[in-house]
Amino acid sequence: MTITRTDFLPITLLCTALLAGCASSPAPHGQVKGADASSREMGQSDTNRIATLAMRANLDGLYLLMDKLYRRNPGEWKKTAASREEALGKVREALETRQPWPELQGKRDIAAMALALGPDFKGDRVAAFIYATADMIIVAHGNKIEFFLIDGLDAQHLYNAARNVEIGAWILASRRNSAGGPLLLSDEISADMRNLSFEREFGKIVGRLDLLATFITEKYRRAGISYVQNLLGGSFFQFLPVR
């Protein structure tokens, strides 16, 4: 049996297509993971659950930013702790247990953010800024980190919190301290490096807050629409008996 060049053509095309498909397939970047089930969810509506997950993601995002800021500004954690890990743990514990941060002089939410980003602030600016930003977000959620059926959220407060995060990130990147240097080293753009990881993390927090604010607003509008749909469904969309 003689095999000609035309016999190889379909096989060649098939191999080329498979190789092209393999080359264009993205590298794996992990899988989406849901939170572990908990009996506490029995007291949560869908909105409560979404708000709780978003809050946890935002706090974790701020903890990640704190770690990255400490790595770029090691002199900050040395003002209050013996190690970077100890400084991270102190801020996390204070936030999770809703304890005040001593260097913020009793100030809360936006007042605390203004103090932490002041040119003359002498304390651990990383800890103060992250604590104040997290506190502002928690205050916008009604001073809660976890949400249940009895809890309500104000969409405008969530929207305002998103804008506050944007403002805080902009001040951090643009304002100078009393010595003329940056408040903190964060993103870096140079001829040899382009590191915008801080901006991306702040953007994720802003996005979650904006989405939750929109969702809360839509919830009440959709409740009215669902009521009308149920009325119509009761009259027009039921099957009729045939026997």
Side-chain angles (χ1 to χ4, degrees), residues 5-224:
R5 291 182 59 188
T6 57
D7 295 320
F8 283 107
L9 184 59
I11 299 176
T12 303
L13 292 174
L14 177 61
C15 291
T16 301
L18 289 173
L19 289 173
C22 292
S24 61
S25 299
H29 292 284
Q31 295 178 329
V32 62
K33 295 181 180 179
D36 294 334
S38 168
S39 60
R40 298 174 70 85
E41 293 182 42
M42 297 300 295
Q44 294 179 321
S45 65
D46 290 346
T47 301
N48 298 147
R49 189 62 184 157
I50 290 172
T52 298
L53 293 175
M55 173 61 78
R56 177 47 52 194
N58 284 334
L59 289 178
D60 288 343
L62 287 171
Y63 297 149
L64 176 60
L65 281 167
M66 180 167 54
D67 185 40
K68 292 165 69 67
L69 285 169
Y70 272 145
R71 290 178 185 275
R72 292 219 67 195
N73 305 270
E76 296 301 313
W77 62 257
K78 293 178 181 179
K79 297 175 181 178
T80 57
S83 66
R84 179 172 52 84
E85 292 76 12
E86 181 184 344
L88 290 167
K90 285 183 176 181
V91 177
R92 180 189 289 267
E93 181 179 3
L95 278 169
E96 301 286 343
T97 58
R98 306 301 293 129
Q99 298 298 314
W101 191 249
E103 293 184 313
L104 292 174
Q105 305 170 14
K107 297 183 183 296
R108 298 286 307 278
D109 57 88
I110 57 175
M113 290 181 70
L115 177 62
L117 294 172
D120 299 321
F121 186 79
K122 302 300 183 184
D124 180 346
R125 194 186 295 276
V126 172
F129 172 61
I130 294 299
Y131 180 96
T133 303
D135 184 65
M136 180 274 298
I137 291 175
I138 294 171
V139 169
H141 287 73
N143 280 304
K144 294 179 182 291
I145 294 177
E146 193 173 11
F147 307 92
F148 297 94
L149 292 171
I150 61 173
D151 299 320
L153 293 171
D154 188 302
Q156 187 62 49
H157 290 168
L158 300 175
Y159 177 87
N160 292 347
R163 306 290 75 76
N164 289 338
V165 174
E166 289 178 332
I167 293 168
W170 182 83
I171 291 175
L172 186 68
S174 60
R175 181 175 288 177
R176 298 290 168 174
N177 59 29
S178 57
L183 296 181
L184 292 169
L185 295 175
S186 53
D187 286 330
E188 181 178 1
I189 302 178
S190 64
D192 302 323
M193 180 178 295
R194 185 177 178 85
N195 176 14
L196 298 177
S197 60
F198 293 89
E199 181 180 310
R200 286 196 298 271
E201 287 302 324
F202 279 120
K204 291 177 184 178
I205 296 171
V206 170
R208 292 187 199 102
L209 289 168
D210 275 335
L211 182 59
L212 185 58
T214 301
F215 180 78
I216 296 298
T217 302
E218 285 283 308
K219 183 184 72 170
Y220 299 110
R221 187 176 66 86
R222 289 300 305 175

